[in-house]
Amino acid sequence: MYKNKKHRLNVLFTSVLLSGFASLSLAAVSPEEAARLGQDLTPLGGEKAGNSAGTIPAWTGGFNKPIPGEILGGKRLDPFKDEKPLYSVTAQNMAQYSEHLTDGVKAMLTKYPDTYRLDVYPTHRTATAPQWVYDFTMQNALKAKLEGHKLIDAYGGTPFPIAKNGLEAINNHRLSWRGVSWEAAFNQYQITSSGKVVLTTDGFIKRQVPYYFEDGSSEDFNGYFEQILLENYGPPIRAGALIGGQTNLNSSKTKSYVYLAGQRRVRKLANPCCDTPTPATAGLMSFDEISVFSGRTETFDWKLLGKKEIFLPYNQNHFLQYPDKDIITGNHLNPDAVRWELHRVWVVEATVAKGKRHQAARSRYYLDEDTWQAMLGDRWDSKGQLWKTLWGFNYIMPEFPGTIPQTFGFYNLLSGEGYAANVMNDKAFHYRPRKRFPTSTFTGQGIARQGMR
């Protein structure tokens, strides 16, 4: 199958060259560099080869086959259920693995030496995407560009598969492949500093990414790359509340609304961005901490620090096999439930830009080379203290196809608090694709019509 993909990529590449490509002078990379996609690089820009130590295998097309026994539209199973951890990283042996640990993970091991650990499993490079996403990615490699922070001429794929700087890399994360339209039921939990677990949200989310509409194009794309509607079913104090909106590549055009059941009114949120607490997490996470990072790029100066081999939470279908009551122990997730693997990541650092303000003076993000998803992130406060460490989980979902991000959260390294969002484990189904939602699902008027209380 991969030979066919490679052939189609080569055909597309050749056709682009023969078309004369009027904007070639504005290309993000040269045609010679772009030709590496599908050759020594994966179609989305990762290194196809494994590492010299043999601990990271070569990418051979990703996970594209059904998971045995899994029923589409139901609970997801673990394709690696028979695997055992290769070893565990603990506070006692963390120095041996220091080069593969982020600052935030080191801080967690130090803060909770008796309970926190990493169970490291064999690495599986499961990332994949539809062929049309690969085709759009090839086009993006040749024509997508940034004018300041404005992304231009990118559509339907990774904007910068051969990223040259931190701003291009973080845009790859923001627009990473995660499906087109889907829905999910989930719970969200606060972890207090005393280790108490509090349900903050029993919800249902509808989400779609118009940037990935297969029949669209960069010429027709209006910049609204993501649309979300969250319905709160509980706890009782939050039941009936809705929050939704549309995120635009031009952040000044982003629109977010909240339906307050008590008032039976829809309110437009004044500043749905950055370090403003988001109602979607009961105000316990900021807008730009969703999925590790989802904020305005203009707030920061971005720097690409290079590539490293890092332990990441990855291929978390194992986590889904645990009931909600067993996923949190003490002040963190249950180490038995979390699968860690060694992967190559792009390390991107963000510092607050001159004239801007943000609670996190400096942040560092770890972007998986195969998916461009930010899987871990660390934030330092204005005093230079390592303040928060953010995490994100992805799951193997062959029908999309892809290794798709969903669950995310943070640990506050100063207060001992934490949060786990979009936990699907106890729900009847785990994230399912569906037909496109009408745009009105995500507008202020549409949300008003959907308010039930």
Side-chain angles (χ1 to χ4, degrees):
M1 183 175 69
Y2 183 67
K3 289 182 178 178
N4 291 333
K5 291 179 180 178
K6 186 169 71 174
H7 173 70
R8 279 187 281 181
L9 279 170
N10 288 338
V11 169
L12 173 66
F13 177 67
T14 302
S15 65
V16 167
L17 286 180
L18 292 177
S19 71
F21 223 37
S23 59
L24 197 60
S25 61
L26 301 175
V29 299
S30 68
E32 291 75 19
E33 283 184 287
R36 295 177 59 196
L37 297 173
Q39 301 300 318
D40 65 306
L41 301 179
T42 72
L44 299 184
E47 291 178 53
K48 193 181 286 186
N51 66 355
S52 58
T55 49
I56 297 176
W59 183 84
T60 57
F63 196 104
N64 290 291
K65 57 188 177 183
I67 297 174
E70 186 170 279
I71 299 173
L72 291 179
K75 288 179 176 285
R76 296 188 179 275
L77 302 180
D78 180 9
F80 308 128
K81 61 183 176 61
D82 295 328
E83 292 184 352
K84 304 296 182 186
L86 299 171
Y87 51 89
S88 295
V89 180
T90 67
Q92 290 70 42
N93 67 4
M94 60 185 286
Q96 179 181 346
Y97 302 101
S98 180
E99 64 178 315
H100 300 313
L101 300 173
T102 64
D103 289 341
V105 170
K106 290 177 183 176
M108 287 296 293
L109 288 164
T110 302
K111 189 175 183 69
Y112 305 106
D114 297 326
T115 59
Y116 192 77
R117 72 173 194 278
L118 281 62
D119 287 342
V120 181
Y121 288 78
T123 297
H124 294 279
R125 298 181 68 182
T126 55
T128 186
Q131 181 60 46
W132 54 267
V133 171
Y134 295 158
D135 294 344
F136 274 122
T137 297
M138 175 62 86
Q139 295 182 37
N140 290 341
L142 291 163
K143 67 177 186 177
K145 57 186 178 296
L146 286 164
E147 290 183 0
H149 287 262
K150 186 178 181 181
L151 178 60
I152 297 173
D153 291 338
Y155 184 83
T158 301
F160 304 102
I162 305 175
K164 301 295 187 184
N165 56 58
L167 186 56
E168 291 184 354
I170 202 66
N171 271 291
N172 287 347
H173 158 67
R174 296 173 76 206
L175 295 168
S176 59
W177 166 246
R178 68 202 69 171
V180 178
S181 300
W182 65 91
E183 58 189 10
F186 61 85
N187 293 323
Q188 299 190 157
Y189 297 100
Q190 176 189 14
I191 307 171
T192 70
S193 58
S194 63
K196 183 180 179 181
V197 179
V198 180
L199 174 69
T200 66
T201 304
D202 173 2
F204 192 93
I205 193 168
K206 299 172 182 174
R207 196 167 179 174
Q208 68 185 6
V209 187
Y211 176 84
Y212 278 109
F213 286 173
E214 183 179 358
D215 55 355
S217 68
S218 60
E219 290 76 19
D220 299 330
F221 181 51
N222 64 8
Y224 286 101
F225 67 91
E226 189 168 45
Q227 301 166 321
I228 299 175
L229 178 68
L230 166 62
E231 306 173 59
N232 283 278
Y233 299 155
I237 195 173
R238 304 191 69 215
L242 306 175
I243 180 171
Q246 305 183 73
T247 306
N248 197 291
L249 291 173
N250 180 347
S251 58
S252 66
K253 296 182 178 179
T254 292
K255 306 170 184 175
S256 289
Y257 306 90
V258 60
Y259 173 81
L260 303 172
Q263 300 178 6
R264 298 188 176 182
R265 295 284 300 273
V266 171
R267 305 284 186 184
K268 186 175 182 180
L269 298 178
N271 184 32
C273 180
C274 311
D275 53 6
T276 302
T278 170
T281 62
L284 294 167
M285 296 185 75
S286 63
F287 274 97
D288 69 1
E289 291 174 338
I290 301 296
S291 300
V292 182
F293 178 79
S294 58
R296 293 177 184 167
T297 59
E298 299 95 318
T299 307
F300 302 98
D301 292 326
W302 297 89
K303 186 175 182 181
L304 189 61
L305 300 184
K307 232 175 186 182
K308 293 188 68 175
E309 295 178 2
I310 292 291
F311 294 131
L312 297 177
Y314 210 100
N315 294 324
Q316 291 295 342
N317 296 52
H318 172 71
F319 178 79
L320 293 173
Q321 312 314 307
Y322 284 73
D324 281 20
K325 66 181 181 61
D326 292 336
I327 63 166
I328 297 172
T329 55
N331 293 78
H332 50 71
L333 295 176
N334 179 358
D336 293 341
V338 182
R339 180 188 178 100
W340 294 82
E341 298 181 3
L342 185 68
H343 285 263
R344 283 186 294 246
V345 300
W346 288 104
V347 185
V348 178
E349 187 161 277
T351 53
V352 175
K354 185 177 181 180
K356 303 291 184 179
R357 59 157 299 277
H358 195 283
Q359 288 181 314
R362 181 167 68 95
S363 302
R364 188 172 293 169
Y365 301 99
Y366 299 87
L367 280 52
D368 168 42
E369 71 164 338
D370 290 334
T371 62
W372 290 99
Q373 298 161 13
M375 307 299 297
L376 293 171
D378 294 332
R379 290 190 143 182
W380 286 261
D381 64 15
S382 58
K383 297 179 181 177
Q385 301 175 103
L386 181 54
W387 169 35
K388 283 184 175 178
T389 186
L390 302 144
W391 52 269
F393 285 0
N394 57 25
Y395 303 99
I396 302 167
M397 301 186 184
E399 77 275 26
F400 274 78
T403 303
I404 306 294
Q406 181 59 212
T407 309
F408 57 88
F410 76 87
Y411 301 122
N412 187 320
L413 296 162
L414 302 179
S415 71
E417 298 170 301
Y419 198 76
N422 293 15
V423 176
M424 305 180 289
N425 302 29
D426 276 0
K427 301 301 184 183
F429 69 96
H430 295 156
Y431 199 90
R432 62 190 176 199
R434 57 154 292 162
K435 292 182 180 178
R436 292 180 193 173
F437 300 99
T439 298
S440 59
T441 303
F442 311 100
T443 64
Q445 290 182 328
I447 291 172
R449 286 195 295 271
Q450 295 170 81
M452 299 296 290
R453 292 184 55 185

